[in-house]
Amino acid sequence: MDYFDRQPTDKLLHLYCQLLLLRLFEERVYHVFLQGELPGTLHQYQGQEAVAVGVCDHLSHTDWITSTHRPHGHAIAKGVSSRAAMAELYGKATGCCGGKGGSMHLGDPAVGMLPAIAIVGGGNSVVIGLGLAFKLRKTQQAAVCFFGDGATNEGAFHESLNFAAVQNLPIVFVCENNLYGASTAYHKVSRVTDVAERAKAYGVPGVIVDGMDVLAVHQSAAEALAQARAGNGPILLECKTYRFIGHSRSDARGYRSKEEEAEWKARDPINTLGGRLLGSSRATEAQLGAIEASVVAELDDAVEFSRNSPDTTPEMALEDAYA
Amino acid sequence: MDYFDRQPTDKLLHLYCQLLLLRLFEERVYHVFLQGELPGTLHQYQGQEAVAVGVCDHLSHTDWITSTHRPHGHAIAKGVSSRAAMAELYGKATGCCGGKGGSMHLGDPAVGMLPAIAIVGGGNSVVIGLGLAFKLRKTQQAAVCFFGDGATNEGAFHESLNFAAVQNLPIVFVCENNLYGASTAYHKVSRVTDVAERAKAYGVPGVIVDGMDVLAVHQSAAEALAQARAGNGPILLECKTYRFIGHSRSDARGYRSKEEEAEWKARDPINTLGGRLLGSSRATEAQLGAIEASVVAELDDAVEFSRNSPDTTPEMALEDAYA
Amino acid sequence: MPEQQAAERKLTIAEALREGIAEEMRRDPNVFLIGEDVGIPGGFGGAFGVYLGLPEEFGAERIIDTPISEKAIAGAAIGAALMGMRPIADMQYSDFLFECMDELVNQAAKMRYMSGGKLKVPMVMRAPVGATNRGAQHGQCPESFFIHVPGLKVVCVSDAYHAKGLIKSAVRDDNPVLVFEHKLLYGSKGRAMAGGIELTTHVPREEYLVPIGKAVVKRPGSSVTVVATHISLYRALAAAQELAAEGIECEVIDPLSLVPLDTETLWASVRKTGRLVIVHEDTLTGGWGAEVAARAADECLFSLEAPIKRVAAHDVPLPVAPIMEQTVVPSVARIKATIKGICQ
Amino acid sequence: MPEQQAAERKLTIAEALREGIAEEMRRDPNVFLIGEDVGIPGGFGGAFGVYLGLPEEFGAERIIDTPISEKAIAGAAIGAALMGMRPIADMQYSDFLFECMDELVNQAAKMRYMSGGKLKVPMVMRAPVGATNRGAQHGQCPESFFIHVPGLKVVCVSDAYHAKGLIKSAVRDDNPVLVFEHKLLYGSKGRAMAGGIELTTHVPREEYLVPIGKAVVKRPGSSVTVVATHISLYRALAAAQELAAEGIECEVIDPLSLVPLDTETLWASVRKTGRLVIVHEDTLTGGWGAEVAARAADECLFSLEAPIKRVAAHDVPLPVAPIMEQTVVPSVARIKATIKGICQ
Ligand SMILES: Cc1ncc(C[n+]2csc(CCOP(=O)(O)OP(=O)(O)O)c2C)c(N)n1
Ligand SMILES: Cc1ncc(C[n+]2csc(CCOP(=O)(O)OP(=O)(O)O)c2C)c(N)n1
Ligand SMILES: [Mg+2]
Ligand SMILES: [Mg+2]
């Protein structure tokens, strides 16, 4: 009886709902961005949903995550409300960062997510402090650091993983290897194909996971977090995944082939889980349709909320530099 | 017939002479330092001579090395004259850096050595540029980066080795693992015992060498340099060694045991080679004594030269910030 | 008239930089480009498209794509420069310079001095600056950190003509030169985002250099000296335009380089106008405007008829929301009000 | 008299810092120390012995020895502070701060702002400064880089009494505070190297705090205001002593903190004396003296009767040879000559 079969149906439906929420959130964001309603730029998450959902399902609000320039999925999966997240993208005062953070710094301490750090590798530096605090306080909290394949070539990746290892910190390092850092293929910037291979340099377990399968991620994350909370130190999970969209909103993706994109899109994590739910008769088309309808309604509300939210004021800009 | 037997006698005597020169240079430096003749502080090389001598014997002046806060041995082994090196320690205008560099920045472009970089890991960053220049110019030059076990925890170690690997640069990374970074034992700051283990993370060969045996270093360095010059990219040589003295001139060494020190001193690279030379009748006591006498004379001269050299001038201090 | 039109050759800063870099790469085989996403086929040609077309001409050997490793990028540039190459290193955003601060401050700037003058480090580091609603980590103007590093030169480009002449001079300079460019001025984003600034200038076909260390007077005036760079320069010019109507004649100067700083041109103006205002998008405290003001307060204090004013980004990180971002960075209105404040 | 002698309790800066840190660690379990070689048994107690004895009292859990990984040290401190701990991070030499510049500038200083004020980063970073014949990479005074980072506070300690009161305030501050200390003033190296400066001051047994942002007048005077920190403060006081004999009365002020800067105390003095000289061992161009001068030239220009002068390290890296090093850093003679130059 495999991991899927062992999951209660409501858990499976919850994961499906989360995957869909992340996907449709991004599609809605892109839509309003194209209508010129959002400032700045976007780095979106379509295709990688299984990673954020599979990992964050094991985290409570007292567990903390760090994120990257591509944080929308992490934020929603960790529990930032779609209203607070959407309003932040709109640059409204009601956003989770009061309009100061925006797309690249999405986060909310209330749910255990630091403002996303848009410096590649930046989250790797800071996350060790979260783990250290949990260790010193002897709590059962864990920290999760999300980062990309590109970040593994930053000095921060190295110093951080080594520090976490020698200090036995309760941290799970989740590398989302989507094959590219911006336009650069990972194989051009690393002689080793698997990021997990690098964990050995620190005496840390490195686990390769199918990042397109939310249940595979869910299972590996459960084990990794259990180890971390047990005081055995950090673990590196390498989730093989793919971003279905461009690096940022202005990316023609000329550096990768349409065939490659098609192959990966065939492994869409939402379709995969949806298919298994239907195939195993754990859910009906009607149920999945109802979930989608509820997600769409939530996003309609989030956009409405954001549009109607008060703008920030010039005065606000001068607050919060110092406590 | 082992590597020792295969070496011509004059080569073996040359290596012996070099080992002795590095050792007696440091002893003389310490002596005049205690007499208050040298400014600043000292990080000395006694015990590690086999590494610098074994590696640099394969390098010409068109090959370049980078060094660390502990550069005296590297400088002498690379061919900086004892006069120019000693005068630099005296802070004299005749020093190899005109009195501007001092102990921690010893070096001389004329013999292919950058001013030593006293930022731990700093040489690792810069050396890749040397290798890149050699590659772009398609010369047969090689670069050698000397660094300590402590440096392997710096981000620079990681970014540099990975960059050198993906660019196939002609660089040999020589880690002198002397068990301690200042007062900190390597096993306290790394879960892996061998630095060589870390090379795998970059798809780079990692070789462990007996850093107390100049011939072992000599042999491994020959192979590594051949590989590098052949365009196969970087290699990491981990030389297991030990500093017989304190980290810097004011170090009571309370963090390590007298037993440990005794064990390593029993493996003194100079005694080892001297013993084999005598045991194999490749040299007589008299010959070795003559070598020592010549080294002592060279150092007497270097000190005399330095004492009698002109001081720097205030004007000089304001020169050389810009070209 | 038509003849002049014909002679005119309008380029954006991005095009001018590309042309200048290409010319130097053709001229000197030691020049090469290195950075993230600079030459990937089907890629971006650098974060702002400045390098588009160069890989086709110069190949992957001289347009080197790197891992996301700023320390390695800087280290590779420094080391290659020490060996006599002339690297042009690329930072996608100047905010990332902090990731290779040790290499820039402790190595690039000091290597020559530590060697007793035996070595030189002829490298260029290009770094885009400027607030564009991307928040605290993608909009800084950190040029002031680098004026505080003896051994480095610091250049700020604000139009295509000077961009081309300066990048060529920077490549030929025997010292590490940081070249800061404002994202809104590249021309790639179009005039709208740049607030209607004309983003192209005439760039002659003939080869030319612009010396590093010489300022240019962009608008002559007798009432007040206004020193500004990058987009702040254009906002200062807009303010000057409006103030002229009110009888205040601003002499607007673009220093072009902050180190070395052309105090000769600056002080000549201040001695004439008796008033000095410095405008930059870098934050106020410890910004380069402080250095200009401090030197004026030493070297031409008695020519001053009014307090020296600095109009800079307020001392906060950059917020994303446009309303707040516009509050933080110097606006035409703020520049105008400040100038009026000392010209009554 | 003997009673007073008895009451006197002379400590060095190193001892005062140790006492202040120990008191805060006893008071608040959230306070911990982190750095390289800070707690190793049989080790150094930090690069300058400041922590000797603390591991015995607080144990390895709260005195954390790290790998040589400055980014990790800073990252660990920032992250822990975000979780409500109060880390004291240690840089062996301030020259190494450039290795964690991204963490300090882009993370520690901005995290609160990016979160819309929901988070705070109550951390301390200690960093020794000062030229001691160790060359370009072990003698810098980089405090000026950090006054340019909104979100950070910058403290400079120059005597035991203020060192203890300031380190305690820094630990209790809810913002990232960088504390810069001069190596020659710790007292560990003895008076000779410090040029005969008395390195101990009275430190009361009773608990006390010194507020961050309040300057102290070290010597009252009417002729000229001299603002100086660290060892330059003592050199300024020595110059003042000598100048008094010539009828020039210097008012010497120790700002104690550069951010926030106590302009109230400074300008009150400048308005009285009409003259301002700033002295620091950090290099001249872009140094914090420029900020003080710039603000004076704005806020009290018309009180100035003479050009504002800065006496700073010359704009070169630090050389090792004592003759050259002494030329580069501000000497009593250079300070004296500069002051005389504007007091005729
Ligand atoms: C220190 C730093 N260098 C460069 C960048 C510019 N940049 C933003 S995202 C990115 C690619 C990151 O790739 P990866 O880590 O794989 O994450 P992904 O975008 O694939 O999610 C780059 C180079 C940055 N933000 N920070
Ligand atoms: C970036 C940086 N951090 C810290 C130091 C202080 N420091 C100087 S030497 C040293 C220990 C270096 O250990 P290792 O690399 O093993 O070299 P070794 O001294 O053993 O030769 C330290 C921590 C430094 N010089 N640079
Ligand atoms: Mg990626
Ligand atoms: Mg060591």
Side-chain angles (χ1 to χ4, degrees):
Chain A
M1 187 164 126
D2 87 351
Y3 194 74
F4 173 89
D5 302 321
R6 293 205 304 276
Q7 302 307 310
T9 299
D10 58 357
K11 165 66 69 181
L12 295 170
L13 291 176
H14 171 69
L15 294 175
Y16 181 81
C17 179
Q18 286 293 93
L19 291 173
L20 205 58
L21 177 59
L22 267 63
R23 173 70 55 85
L24 297 185
F25 179 87
E26 289 291 44
E27 290 181 354
R28 184 67 63 96
V29 164
Y30 192 61
H31 179 75
V32 293
F33 180 88
L34 290 182
Q35 291 179 335
E37 296 185 41
L38 309 186
T41 188
L42 298 173
H43 299 86
Q44 299 197 287
Y45 200 66
Q46 292 96 314
Q48 305 182 201
E49 295 89 351
V51 181
V53 171
V55 171
C56 293
D57 190 57
H58 300 291
L59 305 177
S60 80
H61 287 181
T62 57
D63 297 313
W64 285 72
I65 68 168
T66 65
S67 179
T68 70
H69 57 283
R70 196 179 303 287
H72 304 179
H74 305 137
I76 300 296
K78 189 63 169 67
V80 177
S81 76
S82 31
R83 278 187 166 201
M86 188 68 76
E88 187 60 31
L89 299 183
Y90 270 83
K92 293 301 186 81
T94 54
C96 51
C97 301
K100 288 191 164 112
S103 170
M104 284 199 276
H105 303 305
L106 220 50
D108 188 350
V111 301
M113 179 180 181
L114 292 183
I117 296 178
I119 298 295
V120 169
N124 300 64
S125 288
V126 173
V127 77
I128 56 180
L130 308 183
L132 183 60
F134 303 156
K135 175 190 167 191
L136 292 174
R137 288 178 168 161
K138 304 186 171 53
T139 67
Q140 282 300 301
Q141 292 163 279
V144 172
C145 177
F146 289 101
F147 59 100
D149 48 285
T152 65
N153 292 325
E154 285 283 4
F157 167 84
H158 175 74
E159 293 191 17
S160 161
L161 201 46
N162 184 61
F163 183 93
V166 294
Q167 286 286 329
N168 276 309
L169 302 183
I171 302 173
V172 177
F173 288 87
V174 178
C175 179
E176 299 185 61
N177 186 345
N178 61 6
L179 278 57
Y180 298 87
S183 70
T184 306
Y186 191 62
H187 65 77
K188 287 188 182 176
V189 289
S190 168
R191 278 186 176 185
V192 298
T193 30
D194 300 322
V195 170
E197 181 70 21
R198 293 191 170 182
K200 299 197 185 104
Y202 313 100
V204 166
V207 181
I208 297 176
V209 187
D210 177 357
M212 305 305 280
D213 177 350
V214 68
L215 292 166
V217 174
H218 197 268
Q219 180 167 20
S220 306
E223 292 155 8
L225 281 158
Q227 287 295 317
R229 294 188 204 272
N232 300 330
I235 289 180
L236 174 67
L237 288 191
E238 177 185 12
C239 302
K240 306 281 193 182
T241 182
Y242 200 77
R243 63 170 152 74
F244 290 173
I245 38 58
H247 168 64
S248 64
R249 63 109 182 67
S250 58
D251 173 4
R253 314 195 309 282
Y255 49 84
R256 63 186 203 187
S257 73
K258 297 282 156 286
E259 295 66 32
E260 181 183 278
E261 293 186 348
E263 276 170 33
W264 283 91
K265 283 192 171 153
R267 297 170 52 196
D268 187 316
I270 301 174
N271 297 344
T272 305
L273 181 57
R276 292 190 76 174
L277 281 165
L278 297 174
S280 60
S281 311
R282 293 284 208 99
T284 64
E285 292 279 5
Q287 277 175 297
L288 300 192
I291 290 176
E292 175 153 1
S294 72
V295 167
V296 169
E298 176 176 343
L299 294 171
D300 291 341
D301 166 74
V303 168
E304 268 320 289
F305 171 79
S306 303
R307 287 175 176 155
N308 302 331
S309 285
D311 271 317
T312 58
T313 66
E315 297 64 41
M316 290 175 181
L318 305 182
E319 298 161 0
D320 301 330
Y322 289 91
Chain B
M1 186 164 128
D2 87 352
Y3 194 73
F4 173 90
D5 303 320
R6 293 205 303 277
Q7 302 307 309
T9 299
D10 58 356
K11 165 66 67 181
L12 294 171
L13 291 176
H14 171 69
L15 295 174
Y16 181 81
C17 179
Q18 286 292 93
L19 291 172
L20 205 58
L21 177 59
L22 266 63
R23 174 69 55 84
L24 297 185
F25 179 87
E26 289 292 44
E27 291 181 354
R28 183 66 64 97
V29 164
Y30 192 60
H31 179 73
V32 294
F33 180 88
L34 290 182
Q35 290 179 336
E37 295 185 41
L38 310 185
T41 188
L42 297 173
H43 299 87
Q44 298 198 288
Y45 200 64
Q46 292 96 314
Q48 305 182 201
E49 295 89 351
V51 181
V53 171
V55 171
C56 294
D57 190 56
H58 301 292
L59 305 177
S60 79
H61 287 182
T62 56
D63 297 315
W64 284 72
I65 67 169
T66 65
S67 179
T68 70
H69 57 283
R70 197 178 301 287
H72 303 179
H74 304 137
I76 299 295
K78 189 63 168 65
V80 177
S81 78
S82 32
R83 278 186 166 201
M86 188 68 77
E88 187 60 30
L89 299 183
Y90 270 82
K92 293 301 186 81
T94 54
C96 50
C97 302
K100 287 189 164 112
S103 169
M104 284 200 277
H105 303 305
L106 220 50
D108 188 350
V111 302
M113 178 179 181
L114 292 182
I117 297 177
I119 299 295
V120 170
N124 300 63
S125 288
V126 173
V127 76
I128 56 181
L130 308 183
L132 184 59
F134 302 155
K135 175 191 168 190
L136 292 175
R137 289 180 167 158
K138 304 185 171 54
T139 67
Q140 282 301 301
Q141 292 163 279
V144 172
C145 176
F146 289 101
F147 59 98
D149 48 286
T152 64
N153 291 326
E154 286 283 3
F157 166 84
H158 176 75
E159 294 191 16
S160 160
L161 201 46
N162 184 61
F163 182 92
V166 295
Q167 286 286 328
N168 276 308
L169 302 183
I171 301 173
V172 177
F173 288 87
V174 178
C175 178
E176 299 186 59
N177 186 344
N178 60 7
L179 278 56
Y180 297 88
S183 70
T184 306
Y186 190 64
H187 65 76
K188 288 188 181 176
V189 289
S190 168
R191 278 187 177 184
V192 299
T193 32
D194 300 322
V195 170
E197 181 70 19
R198 293 191 170 182
K200 299 198 185 102
Y202 314 100
V204 166
V207 182
I208 297 176
V209 187
D210 177 357
M212 303 306 279
D213 177 349
V214 69
L215 291 165
V217 175
H218 198 266
Q219 180 168 20
S220 306
E223 292 155 9
L225 282 158
Q227 286 295 317
R229 295 189 203 271
N232 300 330
I235 289 180
L236 175 67
L237 288 191
E238 177 186 11
C239 302
K240 305 280 194 183
T241 181
Y242 200 77
R243 62 170 152 73
F244 290 172
I245 37 57
H247 168 64
S248 63
R249 62 112 182 66
S250 57
D251 172 4
R253 315 195 308 283
Y255 49 84
R256 62 186 204 186
S257 74
K258 297 281 157 286
E259 296 64 32
E260 181 183 279
E261 293 187 347
E263 275 169 34
W264 284 90
K265 283 193 172 151
R267 298 171 51 196
D268 186 317
I270 300 174
N271 298 344
T272 304
L273 180 57
R276 290 189 78 174
L277 281 164
L278 296 174
S280 60
S281 313
R282 295 282 208 101
T284 64
E285 293 278 5
Q287 276 175 295
L288 301 192
I291 290 176
E292 175 153 2
S294 71
V295 168
V296 169
E298 176 176 341
L299 294 170
D300 292 341
D301 167 72
V303 168
E304 268 321 290
F305 171 79
S306 303
R307 288 176 175 154
N308 302 330
S309 286
D311 271 318
T312 58
T313 66
E315 296 65 38
M316 290 176 181
L318 306 182
E319 299 161 0
D320 301 330
Y322 290 90
Chain C
M1 354 90 184
E3 305 89 293
Q4 206 213 315
Q5 295 273 324
E8 282 245 316
R9 185 164 161 275
K10 296 270 198 183
L11 298 187
T12 63
I13 287 184
E15 293 164 334
L17 288 169
R18 183 181 308 135
E19 194 169 83
I21 291 168
E23 285 179 10
E24 291 306 298
M25 289 185 75
R26 287 181 205 119
R27 185 186 60 80
D28 181 352
N30 291 309
V31 180
F32 69 93
L33 250 169
I34 183 166
E36 297 157 13
D37 304 294
V38 293
I40 302 285
F44 317 136
F48 298 91
V50 169
Y51 308 127
L52 287 171
L54 298 187
E56 289 73 358
E57 176 174 359
F58 300 103
E61 262 218 339
R62 293 179 69 189
I63 312 272
I64 301 171
D65 283 295
T66 71
I68 307 176
S69 306
E70 288 73 24
K71 290 173 77 67
I73 292 168
I78 294 165
L82 285 164
M83 296 295 101
M85 306 290 288
R86 292 187 174 270
I88 301 172
D90 178 279
M91 280 286 122
Q92 296 192 333
Y93 284 71
S94 62
D95 308 70
F96 314 150
L97 287 169
F98 299 114
E99 286 286 16
C100 52
M101 203 67 174
D102 176 75
E103 285 70 20
L104 294 172
V105 175
N106 281 332
Q107 317 310 337
K110 296 177 169 55
M111 209 34 94
R112 173 179 176 76
Y113 192 84
M114 296 192 306
S115 76
K118 291 178 175 179
L119 293 166
K120 54 193 170 94
V121 188
M123 65 176 277
V124 174
M125 175 72 79
R126 289 190 48 239
V129 305
T132 61
N133 302 129
R134 276 153 180 73
Q137 298 176 336
H138 284 73
Q140 296 169 85
C141 298
E143 53 268 26
S144 304
F145 287 96
F146 300 95
I147 73 165
H148 190 50
V149 184
L152 301 181
K153 292 187 177 181
V154 178
V155 167
C156 297
V157 306
S158 45
D159 65 63
Y161 174 84
H162 291 102
K164 181 178 175 183
L166 283 167
I167 195 76
K168 285 166 67 77
S169 295
V171 169
R172 299 183 194 192
D173 198 289
D174 281 338
N175 300 287
V177 181
L178 277 74
V179 178
F180 292 97
E181 307 150 8
H182 198 290
K183 290 162 231 159
L184 292 181
L185 298 181
Y186 280 124
S188 23
K189 289 180 187 300
R191 289 181 61 156
M193 261 205 87
I197 299 168
E198 167 54 54
L199 292 171
T200 64
T201 57
H202 172 61
V203 175
R205 264 200 182 56
E206 307 66 47
E207 149 121 22
Y208 67 94
L209 297 172
V210 171
I212 295 173
K214 195 88 200 60
V216 287
V217 176
K218 302 289 270 194
R219 176 193 175 105
S222 55
S223 321
V224 52
T225 300
V226 182
V227 181
T229 53
H230 291 144
I231 201 159
S232 299
L233 173 68
Y234 295 93
R235 292 177 180 150
L237 286 165
Q241 188 67 41
E242 298 179 22
L243 287 165
E246 307 178 29
I248 297 174
E249 290 302 337
C250 302
E251 180 148 291
V252 182
I253 300 178
D254 180 352
L256 288 180
S257 107
L258 302 178
V259 176
L261 182 68
D262 179 5
T263 48
E264 203 177 298
T265 301
L266 264 53
W267 299 170
S269 175
V270 172
R271 295 205 173 89
K272 179 178 67 176
T273 64
R275 291 177 167 77
L276 174 60
V277 174
I278 304 120
V279 191
H280 56 63
E281 196 175 300
D282 198 348
T283 51
L284 178 72
T285 300
W288 62 264
E291 179 63 26
V292 174
R295 292 186 62 171
D298 178 0
E299 297 168 33
C300 42
L301 182 84
F302 296 118
S303 310
L304 292 169
E305 291 157 32
I308 299 173
K309 292 291 177 185
R310 292 175 289 160
V311 186
H314 293 299
D315 285 331
V316 297
L318 280 167
V320 154
I323 292 170
M324 292 195 285
E325 187 184 87
Q326 282 151 31
T327 307
V328 172
V329 303
S331 61
V332 173
R334 184 142 67 97
I335 297 167
K336 197 177 156 189
T338 306
I339 294 172
K340 279 183 77 165
I342 59 163
C343 289
Q344 318 295 304
Chain D
M1 356 78 185
E3 306 87 296
Q4 206 214 317
Q5 297 271 326
E8 281 244 314
R9 184 163 162 276
K10 296 270 199 184
L11 298 187
T12 63
I13 288 184
E15 293 164 335
L17 289 169
R18 184 181 308 135
E19 196 169 80
I21 291 168
E23 285 179 11
E24 291 307 298
M25 289 185 76
R26 287 182 204 118
R27 185 187 60 82
D28 182 351
N30 291 308
V31 180
F32 68 93
L33 250 169
I34 183 166
E36 297 158 13
D37 304 293
V38 292
I40 302 286
F44 318 135
F48 298 91
V50 168
Y51 309 127
L52 287 171
L54 298 188
E56 289 74 357
E57 176 174 358
F58 300 103
E61 262 219 339
R62 294 179 68 191
I63 313 270
I64 301 171
D65 283 296
T66 71
I68 307 176
S69 306
E70 288 72 24
K71 290 172 78 67
I73 292 169
I78 294 164
L82 285 165
M83 296 296 100
M85 305 290 288
R86 292 189 174 269
I88 302 172
D90 179 280
M91 281 285 122
Q92 296 193 334
Y93 284 71
S94 62
D95 310 70
F96 314 150
L97 286 169
F98 300 113
E99 286 285 15
C100 52
M101 203 67 175
D102 177 75
E103 284 69 20
L104 293 172
V105 175
N106 281 333
Q107 318 309 338
K110 296 175 169 54
M111 202 44 88
R112 173 177 177 76
Y113 192 85
M114 295 192 307
S115 75
K118 292 179 175 177
L119 292 166
K120 53 191 169 94
V121 188
M123 64 177 277
V124 175
M125 175 72 79
R126 289 190 48 240
V129 305
T132 61
N133 303 129
R134 276 153 179 73
Q137 298 176 336
H138 283 73
Q140 296 169 84
C141 297
E143 54 268 25
S144 303
F145 287 97
F146 301 95
I147 72 165
H148 189 50
V149 185
L152 302 181
K153 292 188 177 181
V154 178
V155 167
C156 297
V157 307
S158 45
D159 64 65
Y161 175 84
H162 292 101
K164 181 178 175 181
L166 284 166
I167 195 78
K168 285 166 68 77
S169 295
V171 168
R172 299 183 192 191
D173 198 288
D174 280 338
N175 301 286
V177 181
L178 277 73
V179 179
F180 292 96
E181 308 150 7
H182 198 290
K183 291 163 228 158
L184 292 181
L185 298 180
Y186 281 125
S188 22
K189 288 179 189 298
R191 290 181 59 158
M193 258 203 89
I197 299 167
E198 168 54 56
L199 292 171
T200 65
T201 58
H202 172 62
V203 175
R205 262 198 185 53
E206 307 65 46
E207 148 119 21
Y208 67 93
L209 297 173
V210 170
I212 295 173
K214 194 90 199 61
V216 288
V217 176
K218 301 292 266 193
R219 175 192 175 105
S222 54
S223 321
V224 53
T225 300
V226 183
V227 180
T229 53
H230 291 143
I231 201 160
S232 299
L233 172 69
Y234 296 92
R235 293 179 180 149
L237 286 165
Q241 188 69 42
E242 298 179 22
L243 288 164
E246 306 180 29
I248 297 174
E249 291 301 339
C250 303
E251 180 148 292
V252 182
I253 301 178
D254 180 353
L256 288 180
S257 106
L258 303 178
V259 176
L261 182 68
D262 179 5
T263 48
E264 204 175 297
T265 301
L266 265 52
W267 299 170
S269 176
V270 171
R271 295 206 172 90
K272 177 177 69 177
T273 65
R275 291 177 167 75
L276 174 60
V277 175
I278 304 120
V279 191
H280 56 62
E281 196 176 301
D282 197 348
T283 51
L284 178 73
T285 300
W288 60 265
E291 180 63 25
V292 174
R295 292 186 62 172
D298 178 1
E299 298 168 32
C300 42
L301 182 83
F302 296 118
S303 311
L304 292 170
E305 292 157 31
I308 299 173
K309 292 292 176 183
R310 292 176 288 161
V311 186
H314 293 299
D315 285 331
V316 296
L318 279 167
V320 154
I323 293 171
M324 292 195 285
E325 186 183 88
Q326 283 151 30
T327 307
V328 172
V329 304
S331 61
V332 174
R334 184 141 67 98
I335 297 166
K336 196 176 156 189
T338 306
I339 294 173
K340 279 183 77 165
I342 59 162
C343 289
Q344 320 293 308

